[in-house]
Structures are given as C-alpha cells and as structure tokens.
DNA sequence: ACCTGAACACCGTTCAAGT
DNA sequence: ACCTGAACACCGTTCAAGT
C-alpha cells in the first residue's frame, strides 16, 4: 500500500511532505534554490497541486518559518535554570548559536520579516514559545538576585539579540566560524559584566 | 545632449545607473521585487545590456552590498570619540540602528552571505572601512581606561553585533518599532554595565 | 476534497549579430 | 567596446476539467 500511495491520484499527506521536502531543499540549496515546481517534481505530483495546501509560495515559506521557531523552542526545552546563573546563560547562548549555525538559511527565513498577515497567528504563538525559556531563565536569575531588576522579556531579548547579531556576523564571514566558541564566551562575558571596568 | 543620451545606442554610464536604480527598487520593493529585465526596462535598454556590466544578477547584488557598506562607513564618519565614553558609544549605536531601520532591505542584502568569490576584494575593503570607526572608538576609550582591556576589534564587533541583532528583531516585528529608542538605550546600558548587579 | 494540464505572464542567461 | 533580439529553459499563479 504505502509503496503505491505516492503514485495514487490522491497523495494522502501532501502538505506534510511538501513542508519536509522544502526544509531539506532550503538547507541544501538556500531560499533561491527553492521552487514550487521543482518541489512538486521531487514529490511526483503536478506543479499545481501545492496550491491546495499553500495559497502561494510565501505561505509555504511562512509555514517553514513557523516550524523553525517550533524547533528552536524544542531545542531550548531541556535547559535548566538551576546553579549559578552564568552556566544556564552560557548554555542558552550555546543552544541559540548552535541552532543558528546549523540552520543558517532557516534562521534567515525566520527573521525575513515577510510574513503574510495570515501567518501571524501561528507565527506569534511559535515565536512566543521559542523565547519563553530565555525569559524564564532571566526571571529565575532575578529572583536569586543574580541579575539586575527590570522587565525580564526586555532583558532576555536584548541578550538574545546579541547572539542573533553574532550569528549574522558568523554567517556573513565577518567573524570567522572557527572562532565561534571564543566569540560566544566573550559575548556572554560582556553581557554579564559589561564593558566598563569594575 | 543629455536629453537624448538615454535614447542613443550607447548609454554612457549604464553601470552607475543600473546600480542607482537597483538600490531604489530594493528600497521600494525588496529583493524579491528586483529583476534584471525590469531594471533594463526602467532604464530603457535591452534586457541583455546589464550583462556587460554585471556578469549575473548576483554580481549586481554584490555591488549593491559593497555600496551599502560604503554608505555605512560614511555615516560613521562624523562620530567623535571625545567626551565621556558613554556618549560616543550611544551616538555610534544610534547611527547604526538608524542606518539599519532606514535601509532594512539593504542591510539584509549586506549580510546575506551570498557573495560571489569575485566580490570578496572590494567587499572586504568596504567592510573593513565601515567598522573602522567603531573599533577606533573602543580603542580610544580603552586608552582613557573607560573600557576593559582586550582586542578592540573583538570588543567592537560584539557590541555592534548586539545592535545588529536588535535591528533584526525590530525588522521582524519581534520588537515593536515604536519602542526602538528605548531598546537602544537599554542595549547600550546592558553592554556598558552588564546584567550582573554591581 | 483533492489533483491535473494547459495557459499566461513573467524570469535569468547565452550568443550571434548589429553599431 | 557596447548593445540588441531571438532563443532556451526555467519560474509562480490561475482555472477549467477530471477523479
């Protein structure tokens, strides 16, 4: 059955397979290498079939971005906020930067600010969940007096922004990839201790 | 003369006009709205003419990115490193974030990590120049003992990375654009003083 | 409800030929 | 040296028609 399913008239789970295949193509060939027609050809379906599941190409890209934020949220899941704050903070930073370097094309898509208005709902849910762990981390450290007071969301997002920028610089080659770990440590140290001498 | 020049067989300065027009289109319609054929139509030249000046579309995008880094370098030019360090630092941050928000599509292109190998030379010259001012700013502050010791390039790039990440979050809507100034101040304060209580 | 095939209006790139 | 026009192999999107 499952052998012939791909050749039957109705595919069965075309939406899921389109998404999965699109993510693979994105990783291998970048956004520019992603075409709806090629995708349909790869799966063995007519070029017009994807329209049923994604109204246009942007809708597919939006769905990939949502899946990306969900995966980012998953990768934060086993972070703990116990112990001295520096360690959870460094673990979060490593997780984010690892996701960023392992999924460079995907990350660019996630922050490409091209979402269709329609995508907003599922998108913002996934985004909120992805950043929930860093925010909770900051809040827990504040309770222990290890972090200055202030809105934990704002503090968390400025911290993650520093990592996001570092990921961008790494991706562009402005910072050489081999030194990524050293840059990561330095970024965390600067964030925690500041640039002004103590 | 200049009225008929655009209609004569030889254009005269097609390369410069292609670049200028492309930057305008990029600003108005984004990268996705940028097509060589449309560009040629806008200028009033055959669709194959651009090939003489840019071997392919990527070469044009590279040239736009180089021009972007040059403009970024220009906008840093009148920053001074005198006075208490906090003020030059905030001025630099404002300049970068302003450039980022005023040229969102361009900035994305500048860090799109798709440079053709050929572009590397002019590109790295423009990049080096663009970041020279922030690096000099850090070095001067170190001399006055207002900044911790360490490689000024590394310190400057981690600082600019924090701004770059903030610009990305602003562009994606993760941080609302109206609060940009407040986020900027908070980012600079965190960078200078750190997140750990003093 | 889901998919196909043809049609339409676009692309980027190449290359002989024109000026 | 620079530009044109035709040709080629692609796109995304739409829509009647098929299952």
């Amino acid at each position: 059955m499952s052998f012939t399913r791909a050749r039957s008239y109705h595919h069965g789970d075309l939406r899921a397979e389109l998404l999965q295949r699109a993510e693979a193509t994105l990783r291998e060939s970048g956004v520019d290498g992603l075409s709806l027609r090629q995708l349909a050809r790869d799966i063995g379906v007519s070029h017009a079939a994807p329209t049923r599941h994604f109204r246009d190409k942007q809708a597919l890209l939006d769905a990939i971005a949502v899946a990306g934020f969900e995966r980012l949220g998953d990768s934060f899941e086993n972070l703990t906020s116990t112990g001295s704050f520096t360690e959870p903070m460094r673990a979060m930073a490593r997780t984010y930067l690892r996701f960023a370097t392992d999924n460079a094309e995907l990350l660019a898509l996630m922050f490409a600010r091209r979402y269709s208005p329609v995508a907003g709902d599922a998108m913002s849910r996934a985004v909120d969940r992805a950043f929930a762990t860093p925010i909770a981390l900051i809040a827990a450290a504040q309770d222990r007096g290890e972090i200055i007071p202030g809105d934990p969301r704002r503090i968390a997002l400025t911290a993650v922004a520093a990592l996001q920028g570092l990921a961008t610089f790494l991706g562009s080659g402005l910072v050489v990839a081999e030194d990524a770990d050293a840059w990561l440590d330095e970024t965390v140290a600067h964030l925690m201790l500041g640039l002004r001498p103590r």
Side-chain angles (χ1 to χ4, degrees), chain A:
Chain A
M1 268 305 190
S2 63
F3 278 18
T4 58
R5 196 158 57 110
R7 293 175 146 203
S8 71
Y9 191 86
H10 286 79
H11 181 278
D13 201 5
L14 185 54
R15 202 196 119 96
E17 192 167 352
L18 280 167
L19 253 179
Q20 185 190 322
R21 194 91 195 193
E23 285 186 64
T25 305
L26 179 69
R27 165 166 279 108
E28 288 160 22
S29 319
V31 215
D32 296 342
L34 198 60
S35 111
L36 286 177
R37 288 180 102 111
Q38 183 60 51
L39 220 55
R41 245 177 268 129
D42 290 345
I43 295 179
V45 89
S46 90
H47 66 258
T51 304
R52 285 293 129 190
H53 304 280
F54 301 100
R55 86 173 57 206
D56 56 19
K57 191 178 184 180
Q58 188 55 53
L60 172 65
L61 297 181
D62 291 345
I64 297 173
V66 169
F69 279 113
E70 284 166 354
R71 278 232 315 277
L72 177 60
D74 292 346
S75 67
F76 277 146
E77 202 134 70
N78 49 5
L79 288 182
T80 63
S81 55
T82 62
S84 162
F85 179 63
T86 310
E87 199 37 45
M89 181 75 168
R90 291 190 65 235
M92 190 272 280
R94 270 197 299 265
T95 300
Y96 193 85
L97 214 68
R98 185 179 176 87
F99 181 90
T101 49
D102 287 355
N103 305 274
E105 294 283 350
L106 177 59
L107 194 77
L109 200 64
M110 287 161 60
F111 288 112
R113 83 198 156 308
R114 293 188 198 294
Y115 314 147
S116 318
V118 189
D121 206 41
M123 187 77 77
S124 40
R125 256 200 310 276
V127 170
D128 285 349
R129 200 200 136 224
F131 289 102
T133 301
I135 294 171
L137 218 71
I138 296 286
Q142 284 176 322
D143 288 346
R144 280 186 256 103
E146 294 174 351
I147 283 267
I148 55 173
D151 179 7
R153 182 171 185 273
R154 293 176 82 94
I155 295 177
L157 284 186
T158 56
V160 178
L163 301 168
Q164 169 64 34
L166 184 57
T168 298
F169 285 1
L170 277 168
S172 75
L174 187 58
V175 168
V176 302
E178 282 76 23
D179 305 339
D181 286 344
W183 283 90
L184 179 81
D185 289 345
E186 203 159 330
T187 296
V188 173
H190 291 166
L191 270 174
M192 292 305 294
L193 304 176
L195 295 177
R196 212 167 69 173
R198 293 203 174 228

